[in-house]
Amino acid sequence: MKPAISTAQTVALIQSAITPTMVLALPSVMVSIAHHDAWISGIVAAIVGLVMALGIAMIGRANKGQLFVAWMESRFGRPIGVTVGIMLGIYYFNAFCVIVRTFANFVSDIVLDATPLFLLTGIMVLVAAFTVMQGIEAIARSAFMVLLLIMVIIPVSVFILYTDISFERLIPVLDTNLVRIAVASFPPIGLLSEVSVLLLIIPYMKKPASCLRASLIGTLLGSSQLVLVILLALTIFGQQLVPLMSYAFVNVMAIVEVGEFLERIEVFTVSVWFLTMYIKLAVFLFATVHCLFHSLRLHSERHTVIGISILAVATTSGEWPRNMNTGMMATLVNMPVLLIMNIAMPVLIAIGLLITRGKSKQKGGMQGP
Amino acid sequence: MSIRMKSVLGAVLLIFFAMITTGCWNRIELNEVAITSATGVDWDGENWIVSYQVLIPAAISSVMGGSGGGGPKSPIIVYSTKGRTIRDAIMHSYSESPRKLFFAHNRVVVIGEKALQRGVNELIDVYFRNSSTRETVSVLATPGTARRILEQFMQLQAISGAGMKEIILSEMKNTSILPNIPVYQLAMEVTGDAKSAVVPEIFVSGKEDTSSLESFGTTSIPSKLKLGRLAVLKGDKMIGWMNRKESLGAAYLRDSVQQSYIVVPCEDDKGNTGFNTIHILKSSTKVIPKLKGKQLAFTADVQVTGTLMESNCAQDLYKPGVIQSLEQGGQQQVGILLQEAWAKGQQMNTDIFGAAEKTHRKFPKQWKEWSKNWEEVFKEAPLETKVKFRMARMGLSNKSFRYLMDKKEK
């Protein structure tokens, strides 16, 4: 393995792994809980997210260049290393399936309502599998290009929507019960914890020492986009109407009407969001394949990708008979799983690393990748 | 298999998949859709009647003066379907139309008075639930049936659905008497703190309908589509109308005046009376809630900038006193508009001015109590007006023409 990802590309990977599902469904969920103070919940979640990003990067810094599973095995022994790898592999597979289905539901709701679900999920998994087969470097390069597009589309969108924005709709600030504001911050905290995927990416970084910067900036970019979408939705539609919207960020862009020549521009926003979603799919499929391939000592990465992809198509098409089931799964039910796998497990790993620090020093550091 | 063969096979497969997945199952050809330019919604007491103004693209060119044998043909066709719900009614359109209704280019939705009195909840739900409909569609109210409005032709605009949207946008921009209310704004207003909304009226002005192209064979047409009053909704149901004067006052209080006109009475040195017409170039209103003892009161702080458009009083506009009297006249007129609109709102027991939101923002603690019976609180709240009127320009003439005439007579 040759380290090939720059810090900027890592930032793009982190933000792509966090943002797409977060801005899709969470704004309306958060506004329905925290009303017009939902943006404060977004900021609270961002602060917690930055702390998590800091923690993950600190853990990742202890890795001196080994692949994640190999690192776990070398520090905790093979049984624990393999168990951690398989558990994470199953978690990432589960997360991948939820993301694919969420994406397919969105496409089905917005444009392709007559297209069979298995075809939508099949194409999405196919694209993700193809990207993963090109390697993490290709995913990172694509993620960086998508990040550049986001940097263009966000200021343009805010500029176009400026006349519809009324900041008065955010007043009175802190009108909502503090408990509700705290509760509304849980769903984004769950998704921000996905920054833990960095632990798998660090060995591929050209400068692993800059993982802290990448982690913090990536999380900041992701949470800023969430706060921005909440602010736009609230200042344009007000707190009563946003909970009605399944995809508030689409509704926000759909109201743009400049004369008769500039309308329906949500197509552009959604197109860029599609790209970020494909990057997220690729990152999570890569993580699944990476963990299972190395934990189970498989021989062909290509065949692992194909096998997992077929299983993913079957799961995403058949697991949730109703779209609402996936919505609940993505926003609320999955939260404990996210917190266990992305926070509790890294905390356990950190404790384990502290305990085995002496053993590591005795061995005299790590071998290269 | 050689690398070259693999590449060729890969390319062939990609092209194959690209071809079979174009638009997937949702592909639809242009000649399979019926493009609606306006939709009408009526209520007959038991069912929803949804009317559609559908474009006939081939006929548009003949109306616009393009070639085509057999004289001008109607560029639109109107038909209606009935159902227990709005979507149920739309589903029945498949039984009578060879094409699928396509709502993406719909410009206005006209709601009949009876349907408005029943409530707009269902309509808003339809617009937010379906991706084919757009929330930016303008909502209009009509005292009769919406279908009759859709059947009318319009001067200068072959597609009256698009024409209606242009009229309301023009009215909002140039006179500000009636606002353009898109579906999403209607939804925001009926769900807001005051739970009240407004919808502009459109009606047929004239006795006969202009539903035949033959009417355009003469220089005047028997009737026109015209904007009128302002329908007032409480909750999601219509409770009455505001006249145009009250509507303009409401526009000031809602801070939605872009440009407008005001006619101010004037009197010259000899006691002759006349009128000055002032074009309002800019207006900004702040409605500020205040507590007077325990009673809630409001102050409307209005800043207006205008230019003189017409004067038929003998006055020398160089004299500072004349400008001052013009400004005072403007202040008085705007103040009267505001008070009349406020009184009408209180009489109708409906806060369409956004006073509830402002009160909630300024007095969040008290709002919890007031929100329980906001209607009563609003009904008792007095309005104080503070209008600052500035005459920015006098036009290209410094004296009124009547002033010159009077001088000559001397």
Side-chain angles (χ1 to χ4, degrees), chain B residues 334-388:
Chain B
V334 173
I336 290 168
L337 284 173
L338 263 57
Q339 290 294 356
E340 282 185 9
W342 187 264
K344 182 73 177 184
Q346 287 183 322
Q347 187 198 324
M348 294 174 98
N349 221 357
T350 316
D351 166 20
I352 56 164
F353 314 110
E357 275 83 4
K358 289 177 176 85
T359 307
H360 183 182
R361 281 168 202 150
K362 184 135 187 212
F363 303 108
K365 281 181 188 165
Q366 291 93 324
W367 172 252
K368 281 169 189 154
E369 193 56 40
W370 288 335
S371 63
K372 290 175 192 163
N373 59 340
W374 174 244
E375 287 170 16
E376 294 305 315
V377 177
F378 171 69
K379 210 173 173 181
E380 299 300 321
L383 176 77
E384 185 193 352
T385 55
K386 285 183 184 170
V387 185
K388 195 176 174 191

Short mmCIF file of all heavy atoms in Angstrom, two decimals, chain B residues 334-388:
data_model
loop_
_atom_site.label_atom_id
_atom_site.label_comp_id
_atom_site.label_asym_id
_atom_site.label_seq_id
_atom_site.Cartn_x
_atom_site.Cartn_y
_atom_site.Cartn_z
N VAL B 334 -51.83 58.38 3.99
CA VAL B 334 -51.28 57.07 4.34
C VAL B 334 -51.77 56.66 5.73
O VAL B 334 -52.16 55.51 5.96
CB VAL B 334 -49.73 57.07 4.27
CG1 VAL B 334 -49.16 55.77 4.80
CG2 VAL B 334 -49.27 57.30 2.84
N GLY B 335 -51.80 57.64 6.65
CA GLY B 335 -52.28 57.36 8.00
C GLY B 335 -53.72 56.85 7.98
O GLY B 335 -54.06 55.89 8.68
N ILE B 336 -54.55 57.49 7.15
CA ILE B 336 -55.96 57.08 7.05
C ILE B 336 -56.05 55.64 6.51
O ILE B 336 -56.80 54.81 7.02
CB ILE B 336 -56.76 58.06 6.14
CG1 ILE B 336 -56.90 59.42 6.85
CG2 ILE B 336 -58.12 57.49 5.78
CD1 ILE B 336 -57.40 60.54 5.96
N LEU B 337 -55.22 55.36 5.46
CA LEU B 337 -55.22 54.00 4.88
C LEU B 337 -54.90 52.95 5.95
O LEU B 337 -55.56 51.91 6.05
CB LEU B 337 -54.17 53.91 3.77
CG LEU B 337 -54.48 54.55 2.43
CD1 LEU B 337 -53.25 54.51 1.52
CD2 LEU B 337 -55.64 53.86 1.74
N LEU B 338 -53.89 53.27 6.74
CA LEU B 338 -53.45 52.33 7.78
C LEU B 338 -54.55 52.09 8.81
O LEU B 338 -54.84 50.94 9.17
CB LEU B 338 -52.19 52.87 8.47
CG LEU B 338 -50.85 52.37 7.98
CD1 LEU B 338 -50.65 52.62 6.51
CD2 LEU B 338 -49.71 53.04 8.75
N GLN B 339 -55.14 53.18 9.27
CA GLN B 339 -56.17 53.07 10.31
C GLN B 339 -57.39 52.31 9.80
O GLN B 339 -57.96 51.50 10.52
CB GLN B 339 -56.59 54.46 10.81
CG GLN B 339 -55.53 55.18 11.63
CD GLN B 339 -55.24 54.50 12.97
OE1 GLN B 339 -55.87 53.52 13.35
NE2 GLN B 339 -54.24 55.00 13.69
N GLU B 340 -57.78 52.59 8.55
CA GLU B 340 -58.96 51.91 8.00
C GLU B 340 -58.71 50.40 7.88
O GLU B 340 -59.57 49.59 8.18
CB GLU B 340 -59.32 52.50 6.62
CG GLU B 340 -60.05 53.82 6.76
CD GLU B 340 -60.51 54.37 5.42
OE1 GLU B 340 -60.43 53.65 4.40
OE2 GLU B 340 -60.95 55.54 5.40
N ALA B 341 -57.50 50.05 7.40
CA ALA B 341 -57.18 48.62 7.25
C ALA B 341 -57.15 47.93 8.61
O ALA B 341 -57.67 46.83 8.78
CB ALA B 341 -55.84 48.46 6.54
N TRP B 342 -56.54 48.61 9.58
CA TRP B 342 -56.43 48.04 10.93
C TRP B 342 -57.83 47.81 11.53
O TRP B 342 -58.13 46.76 12.11
CB TRP B 342 -55.61 48.98 11.81
CG TRP B 342 -55.29 48.46 13.17
CD1 TRP B 342 -55.96 48.71 14.33
CD2 TRP B 342 -54.20 47.60 13.53
NE1 TRP B 342 -55.36 48.07 15.38
CE2 TRP B 342 -54.27 47.37 14.91
CE3 TRP B 342 -53.18 47.00 12.81
CZ2 TRP B 342 -53.37 46.58 15.61
CZ3 TRP B 342 -52.26 46.20 13.49
CH2 TRP B 342 -52.36 46.00 14.88
N ALA B 343 -58.67 48.85 11.36
CA ALA B 343 -60.03 48.74 11.89
C ALA B 343 -60.79 47.59 11.23
O ALA B 343 -61.52 46.85 11.89
CB ALA B 343 -60.77 50.07 11.67
N LYS B 344 -60.59 47.44 9.92
CA LYS B 344 -61.29 46.36 9.21
C LYS B 344 -60.80 44.99 9.73
O LYS B 344 -61.60 44.08 9.92
CB LYS B 344 -61.02 46.50 7.71
CG LYS B 344 -61.72 45.46 6.85
CD LYS B 344 -63.21 45.70 6.75
CE LYS B 344 -63.85 44.68 5.81
NZ LYS B 344 -65.27 44.94 5.61
N GLY B 345 -59.49 44.90 9.93
CA GLY B 345 -58.93 43.65 10.46
C GLY B 345 -59.52 43.33 11.82
O GLY B 345 -59.91 42.20 12.10
N GLN B 346 -59.64 44.37 12.67
CA GLN B 346 -60.21 44.15 14.00
C GLN B 346 -61.69 43.81 13.91
O GLN B 346 -62.18 42.97 14.64
CB GLN B 346 -60.00 45.40 14.85
CG GLN B 346 -58.54 45.57 15.29
CD GLN B 346 -58.33 46.75 16.19
OE1 GLN B 346 -58.94 47.80 15.99
NE2 GLN B 346 -57.46 46.61 17.19
N GLN B 347 -62.36 44.46 12.96
CA GLN B 347 -63.78 44.17 12.77
C GLN B 347 -63.98 42.72 12.32
O GLN B 347 -64.91 42.04 12.75
CB GLN B 347 -64.33 45.14 11.70
CG GLN B 347 -65.82 45.08 11.52
CD GLN B 347 -66.22 45.71 10.19
OE1 GLN B 347 -65.63 46.69 9.74
NE2 GLN B 347 -67.22 45.12 9.54
N MET B 348 -63.08 42.25 11.47
CA MET B 348 -63.17 40.85 11.00
C MET B 348 -62.55 39.88 11.99
O MET B 348 -62.56 38.69 11.77
CB MET B 348 -62.47 40.71 9.64
CG MET B 348 -63.13 41.47 8.52
SD MET B 348 -62.15 41.39 7.02
CE MET B 348 -62.99 40.09 6.17
N ASN B 349 -61.98 40.43 13.06
CA ASN B 349 -61.37 39.60 14.09
C ASN B 349 -60.20 38.78 13.53
O ASN B 349 -60.00 37.63 13.92
CB ASN B 349 -62.44 38.66 14.66
CG ASN B 349 -62.30 38.55 16.15
OD1 ASN B 349 -61.36 39.11 16.72
ND2 ASN B 349 -63.20 37.81 16.77
N THR B 350 -59.47 39.36 12.61
CA THR B 350 -58.39 38.64 11.94
C THR B 350 -57.14 39.50 11.83
O THR B 350 -57.20 40.61 11.32
CB THR B 350 -58.82 38.25 10.51
OG1 THR B 350 -60.13 37.76 10.56
CG2 THR B 350 -57.91 37.20 9.93
N ASP B 351 -56.05 38.95 12.28
CA ASP B 351 -54.78 39.67 12.22
C ASP B 351 -54.03 39.24 10.95
O ASP B 351 -53.33 38.23 10.95
CB ASP B 351 -53.98 39.35 13.48
CG ASP B 351 -52.52 39.77 13.37
OD1 ASP B 351 -52.21 40.61 12.52
OD2 ASP B 351 -51.71 39.24 14.14
N ILE B 352 -54.22 40.01 9.89
CA ILE B 352 -53.52 39.68 8.63
C ILE B 352 -52.25 40.52 8.48
O ILE B 352 -51.60 40.50 7.45
CB ILE B 352 -54.43 39.91 7.39
CG1 ILE B 352 -54.92 41.35 7.37
CG2 ILE B 352 -55.55 38.91 7.34
CD1 ILE B 352 -55.48 41.79 6.05
N PHE B 353 -51.92 41.28 9.54
CA PHE B 353 -50.81 42.24 9.43
C PHE B 353 -49.50 41.71 10.00
O PHE B 353 -48.51 42.43 10.04
CB PHE B 353 -51.19 43.54 10.14
CG PHE B 353 -52.59 44.02 9.81
CD1 PHE B 353 -53.60 43.97 10.75
CD2 PHE B 353 -52.89 44.47 8.54
CE1 PHE B 353 -54.89 44.38 10.45
CE2 PHE B 353 -54.17 44.89 8.22
CZ PHE B 353 -55.18 44.84 9.18
N GLY B 354 -49.52 40.50 10.50
CA GLY B 354 -48.30 39.94 11.10
C GLY B 354 -48.06 40.49 12.50
O GLY B 354 -46.96 40.38 13.03
N ALA B 355 -49.11 41.06 13.12
CA ALA B 355 -48.94 41.63 14.46
C ALA B 355 -48.63 40.53 15.48
O ALA B 355 -47.87 40.76 16.43
CB ALA B 355 -50.21 42.38 14.86
N ALA B 356 -49.21 39.35 15.28
CA ALA B 356 -48.98 38.25 16.24
C ALA B 356 -47.50 37.86 16.26
O ALA B 356 -46.91 37.70 17.34
CB ALA B 356 -49.84 37.05 15.85
N GLU B 357 -46.89 37.73 15.09
CA GLU B 357 -45.47 37.34 15.01
C GLU B 357 -44.59 38.39 15.72
O GLU B 357 -43.69 38.05 16.47
CB GLU B 357 -45.01 37.21 13.56
CG GLU B 357 -45.29 35.87 12.91
CD GLU B 357 -46.69 35.76 12.37
OE1 GLU B 357 -47.43 36.79 12.43
OE2 GLU B 357 -47.10 34.68 11.91
N LYS B 358 -44.94 39.66 15.45
CA LYS B 358 -44.13 40.74 16.04
C LYS B 358 -44.27 40.75 17.56
O LYS B 358 -43.31 40.98 18.29
CB LYS B 358 -44.54 42.07 15.42
CG LYS B 358 -44.09 42.16 13.98
CD LYS B 358 -44.54 43.41 13.30
CE LYS B 358 -43.98 43.47 11.89
NZ LYS B 358 -44.78 42.77 10.90
N THR B 359 -45.48 40.51 18.02
CA THR B 359 -45.71 40.48 19.46
C THR B 359 -44.97 39.29 20.08
O THR B 359 -44.34 39.43 21.14
CB THR B 359 -47.22 40.36 19.74
OG1 THR B 359 -47.89 41.40 19.03
CG2 THR B 359 -47.53 40.48 21.21
N HIS B 360 -45.05 38.15 19.42
CA HIS B 360 -44.34 36.95 19.90
C HIS B 360 -42.84 37.23 20.03
O HIS B 360 -42.21 36.85 21.01
CB HIS B 360 -44.60 35.80 18.92
CG HIS B 360 -44.00 34.50 19.33
ND1 HIS B 360 -44.09 33.37 18.58
CD2 HIS B 360 -43.28 34.14 20.42
CE1 HIS B 360 -43.46 32.39 19.18
NE2 HIS B 360 -42.96 32.82 20.30
N ARG B 361 -42.29 37.94 19.04
CA ARG B 361 -40.85 38.24 19.05
C ARG B 361 -40.49 39.22 20.17
O ARG B 361 -39.48 39.06 20.83
CB ARG B 361 -40.44 38.83 17.70
CG ARG B 361 -40.28 37.77 16.64
CD ARG B 361 -40.17 38.38 15.27
NE ARG B 361 -40.55 37.39 14.27
CZ ARG B 361 -41.10 37.68 13.11
NH1 ARG B 361 -41.36 38.92 12.79
NH2 ARG B 361 -41.41 36.72 12.26
N LYS B 362 -41.34 40.24 20.35
CA LYS B 362 -40.98 41.28 21.32
C LYS B 362 -41.33 40.87 22.76
O LYS B 362 -40.61 41.21 23.69
CB LYS B 362 -41.71 42.58 20.96
CG LYS B 362 -41.31 43.73 21.85
CD LYS B 362 -41.04 44.97 21.09
CE LYS B 362 -40.48 46.04 22.01
NZ LYS B 362 -40.87 47.36 21.59
N PHE B 363 -42.43 40.18 22.92
CA PHE B 363 -42.84 39.79 24.28
C PHE B 363 -43.02 38.28 24.37
O PHE B 363 -44.16 37.79 24.50
CB PHE B 363 -44.16 40.50 24.65
CG PHE B 363 -44.11 42.01 24.57
CD1 PHE B 363 -44.77 42.68 23.55
CD2 PHE B 363 -43.38 42.74 25.50
CE1 PHE B 363 -44.72 44.06 23.46
CE2 PHE B 363 -43.32 44.12 25.41
CZ PHE B 363 -43.98 44.79 24.39
N PRO B 364 -41.94 37.53 24.28
CA PRO B 364 -42.08 36.06 24.25
C PRO B 364 -42.73 35.48 25.50
O PRO B 364 -43.47 34.49 25.40
CB PRO B 364 -40.63 35.57 24.10
CG PRO B 364 -39.75 36.72 24.38
CD PRO B 364 -40.54 37.96 24.17
N LYS B 365 -42.50 36.10 26.66
CA LYS B 365 -43.09 35.54 27.89
C LYS B 365 -44.60 35.76 27.91
O LYS B 365 -45.38 34.84 28.15
CB LYS B 365 -42.44 36.19 29.12
CG LYS B 365 -41.07 35.59 29.42
CD LYS B 365 -40.48 36.23 30.66
CE LYS B 365 -39.04 35.75 30.82
NZ LYS B 365 -38.31 36.61 31.77
N GLN B 366 -44.98 37.03 27.63
CA GLN B 366 -46.41 37.34 27.64
C GLN B 366 -47.15 36.63 26.51
O GLN B 366 -48.33 36.34 26.61
CB GLN B 366 -46.64 38.86 27.50
CG GLN B 366 -46.20 39.66 28.69
CD GLN B 366 -44.78 40.17 28.53
OE1 GLN B 366 -43.92 39.48 27.96
NE2 GLN B 366 -44.50 41.35 29.04
N TRP B 367 -46.43 36.35 25.43
CA TRP B 367 -47.06 35.73 24.26
C TRP B 367 -47.71 34.39 24.62
O TRP B 367 -48.77 34.04 24.12
CB TRP B 367 -46.03 35.54 23.13
CG TRP B 367 -46.60 34.73 22.00
CD1 TRP B 367 -46.28 33.46 21.65
CD2 TRP B 367 -47.63 35.14 21.09
NE1 TRP B 367 -47.03 33.05 20.59
CE2 TRP B 367 -47.87 34.06 20.22
CE3 TRP B 367 -48.37 36.31 20.93
CZ2 TRP B 367 -48.82 34.11 19.20
CZ3 TRP B 367 -49.32 36.36 19.91
CH2 TRP B 367 -49.53 35.28 19.06
N LYS B 368 -47.06 33.67 25.52
CA LYS B 368 -47.61 32.37 25.91
C LYS B 368 -49.04 32.52 26.43
O LYS B 368 -49.88 31.66 26.22
CB LYS B 368 -46.70 31.72 26.97
CG LYS B 368 -45.48 31.08 26.31
CD LYS B 368 -44.43 30.66 27.27
CE LYS B 368 -43.18 30.25 26.47
NZ LYS B 368 -41.95 30.41 27.22
N GLU B 369 -49.29 33.63 27.11
CA GLU B 369 -50.63 33.88 27.63
C GLU B 369 -51.53 34.45 26.52
O GLU B 369 -52.65 33.99 26.31
CB GLU B 369 -50.52 34.87 28.80
CG GLU B 369 -51.78 35.00 29.65
CD GLU B 369 -52.28 33.69 30.21
OE1 GLU B 369 -51.46 32.83 30.64
OE2 GLU B 369 -53.51 33.51 30.20
N TRP B 370 -51.00 35.45 25.80
CA TRP B 370 -51.80 36.12 24.76
C TRP B 370 -52.19 35.16 23.63
O TRP B 370 -53.25 35.29 23.04
CB TRP B 370 -51.02 37.31 24.17
CG TRP B 370 -50.90 38.46 25.10
CD1 TRP B 370 -51.75 38.79 26.13
CD2 TRP B 370 -49.87 39.46 25.11
NE1 TRP B 370 -51.31 39.92 26.77
CE2 TRP B 370 -50.17 40.37 26.16
CE3 TRP B 370 -48.75 39.71 24.32
CZ2 TRP B 370 -49.38 41.47 26.45
CZ3 TRP B 370 -47.97 40.82 24.61
CH2 TRP B 370 -48.26 41.69 25.65
N SER B 371 -51.29 34.22 23.33
CA SER B 371 -51.55 33.33 22.19
C SER B 371 -52.81 32.48 22.40
O SER B 371 -53.42 32.01 21.44
CB SER B 371 -50.35 32.42 21.92
OG SER B 371 -50.14 31.59 23.03
N LYS B 372 -53.20 32.32 23.67
CA LYS B 372 -54.39 31.49 23.94
C LYS B 372 -55.66 32.18 23.44
O LYS B 372 -56.61 31.52 23.04
CB LYS B 372 -54.51 31.24 25.45
CG LYS B 372 -53.44 30.30 25.98
CD LYS B 372 -53.53 30.20 27.50
CE LYS B 372 -52.29 29.51 28.04
NZ LYS B 372 -52.13 29.74 29.49
N ASN B 373 -55.70 33.50 23.50
CA ASN B 373 -56.87 34.22 22.96
C ASN B 373 -56.40 35.46 22.18
O ASN B 373 -56.75 36.59 22.51
CB ASN B 373 -57.86 34.60 24.07
CG ASN B 373 -57.24 35.48 25.12
OD1 ASN B 373 -56.02 35.52 25.25
ND2 ASN B 373 -58.06 36.22 25.84
N TRP B 374 -55.57 35.22 21.19
CA TRP B 374 -54.97 36.30 20.43
C TRP B 374 -56.02 37.19 19.78
O TRP B 374 -55.88 38.42 19.71
CB TRP B 374 -53.99 35.76 19.39
CG TRP B 374 -53.46 36.85 18.50
CD1 TRP B 374 -53.64 36.98 17.17
CD2 TRP B 374 -52.67 37.98 18.91
NE1 TRP B 374 -53.01 38.12 16.72
CE2 TRP B 374 -52.41 38.75 17.77
CE3 TRP B 374 -52.17 38.42 20.13
CZ2 TRP B 374 -51.67 39.93 17.80
CZ3 TRP B 374 -51.43 39.59 20.17
CH2 TRP B 374 -51.18 40.33 19.01
N GLU B 375 -57.11 36.57 19.33
CA GLU B 375 -58.15 37.36 18.65
C GLU B 375 -58.65 38.48 19.56
O GLU B 375 -58.82 39.62 19.12
CB GLU B 375 -59.33 36.45 18.30
CG GLU B 375 -59.03 35.52 17.15
CD GLU B 375 -60.12 34.49 16.98
OE1 GLU B 375 -61.22 34.67 17.53
OE2 GLU B 375 -59.85 33.48 16.31
N GLU B 376 -58.88 38.14 20.81
CA GLU B 376 -59.40 39.15 21.76
C GLU B 376 -58.35 40.23 22.03
O GLU B 376 -58.67 41.41 22.08
CB GLU B 376 -59.80 38.47 23.07
CG GLU B 376 -60.99 37.53 22.93
CD GLU B 376 -62.21 38.22 22.33
OE1 GLU B 376 -62.51 39.35 22.76
OE2 GLU B 376 -62.84 37.64 21.41
N VAL B 377 -57.10 39.80 22.19
CA VAL B 377 -56.02 40.75 22.47
C VAL B 377 -55.86 41.70 21.29
O VAL B 377 -55.77 42.92 21.44
CB VAL B 377 -54.68 40.00 22.75
CG1 VAL B 377 -53.53 40.99 22.97
CG2 VAL B 377 -54.82 39.08 23.95
N PHE B 378 -55.87 41.12 20.07
CA PHE B 378 -55.69 41.92 18.86
C PHE B 378 -56.84 42.91 18.68
O PHE B 378 -56.65 44.06 18.31
CB PHE B 378 -55.57 40.98 17.65
CG PHE B 378 -55.59 41.68 16.33
CD1 PHE B 378 -54.53 42.48 15.93
CD2 PHE B 378 -56.69 41.57 15.49
CE1 PHE B 378 -54.56 43.14 14.72
CE2 PHE B 378 -56.73 42.23 14.28
CZ PHE B 378 -55.67 43.02 13.89
N LYS B 379 -58.04 42.44 18.96
CA LYS B 379 -59.23 43.26 18.77
C LYS B 379 -59.20 44.53 19.63
O LYS B 379 -59.72 45.58 19.24
CB LYS B 379 -60.46 42.42 19.15
CG LYS B 379 -61.70 42.77 18.39
CD LYS B 379 -62.77 41.78 18.73
CE LYS B 379 -64.08 42.21 18.12
NZ LYS B 379 -65.15 41.27 18.46
N GLU B 380 -58.57 44.43 20.77
CA GLU B 380 -58.55 45.57 21.70
C GLU B 380 -57.31 46.46 21.51
O GLU B 380 -57.21 47.51 22.14
CB GLU B 380 -58.55 45.05 23.15
CG GLU B 380 -59.79 44.22 23.52
CD GLU B 380 -61.07 45.01 23.37
OE1 GLU B 380 -61.06 46.21 23.72
OE2 GLU B 380 -62.07 44.45 22.87
N ALA B 381 -56.37 46.02 20.68
CA ALA B 381 -55.09 46.74 20.56
C ALA B 381 -55.21 47.95 19.64
O ALA B 381 -55.57 47.80 18.47
CB ALA B 381 -54.01 45.79 20.05
N PRO B 382 -54.95 49.17 20.15
CA PRO B 382 -55.02 50.35 19.28
C PRO B 382 -53.76 50.48 18.41
O PRO B 382 -52.71 49.94 18.75
CB PRO B 382 -55.10 51.50 20.28
CG PRO B 382 -54.45 50.99 21.52
CD PRO B 382 -54.61 49.51 21.55
N LEU B 383 -53.91 51.17 17.30
CA LEU B 383 -52.77 51.40 16.40
C LEU B 383 -52.48 52.90 16.35
O LEU B 383 -53.36 53.71 16.10
CB LEU B 383 -53.08 50.89 14.99
CG LEU B 383 -52.01 51.18 13.95
CD1 LEU B 383 -50.84 50.21 14.09
CD2 LEU B 383 -52.57 51.08 12.53
N GLU B 384 -51.22 53.24 16.57
CA GLU B 384 -50.79 54.62 16.44
C GLU B 384 -49.95 54.69 15.16
O GLU B 384 -49.12 53.80 14.93
CB GLU B 384 -49.95 55.00 17.65
CG GLU B 384 -49.54 56.45 17.69
CD GLU B 384 -48.45 56.72 18.73
OE1 GLU B 384 -48.14 55.80 19.51
OE2 GLU B 384 -47.91 57.82 18.73
N THR B 385 -50.19 55.71 14.33
CA THR B 385 -49.41 55.78 13.08
C THR B 385 -48.43 56.95 13.12
O THR B 385 -48.77 58.05 13.55
CB THR B 385 -50.34 55.94 11.86
OG1 THR B 385 -51.17 57.06 12.06
CG2 THR B 385 -51.19 54.71 11.64
N LYS B 386 -47.21 56.67 12.70
CA LYS B 386 -46.20 57.72 12.57
C LYS B 386 -45.67 57.65 11.15
O LYS B 386 -44.87 56.76 10.83
CB LYS B 386 -45.06 57.47 13.55
CG LYS B 386 -45.39 57.80 14.99
CD LYS B 386 -44.19 57.58 15.87
CE LYS B 386 -44.56 57.81 17.33
NZ LYS B 386 -43.47 57.39 18.23
N VAL B 387 -46.17 58.54 10.30
CA VAL B 387 -45.80 58.48 8.89
C VAL B 387 -44.81 59.59 8.58
O VAL B 387 -45.06 60.76 8.89
CB VAL B 387 -47.04 58.60 7.98
CG1 VAL B 387 -46.66 58.42 6.52
CG2 VAL B 387 -48.11 57.59 8.37
N LYS B 388 -43.70 59.22 8.00
CA LYS B 388 -42.73 60.23 7.57
C LYS B 388 -42.75 60.23 6.04
O LYS B 388 -42.33 59.25 5.41
CB LYS B 388 -41.34 59.88 8.10
CG LYS B 388 -40.38 61.03 8.01
CD LYS B 388 -39.05 60.68 8.63
CE LYS B 388 -38.07 61.81 8.37
NZ LYS B 388 -36.72 61.43 8.72
#
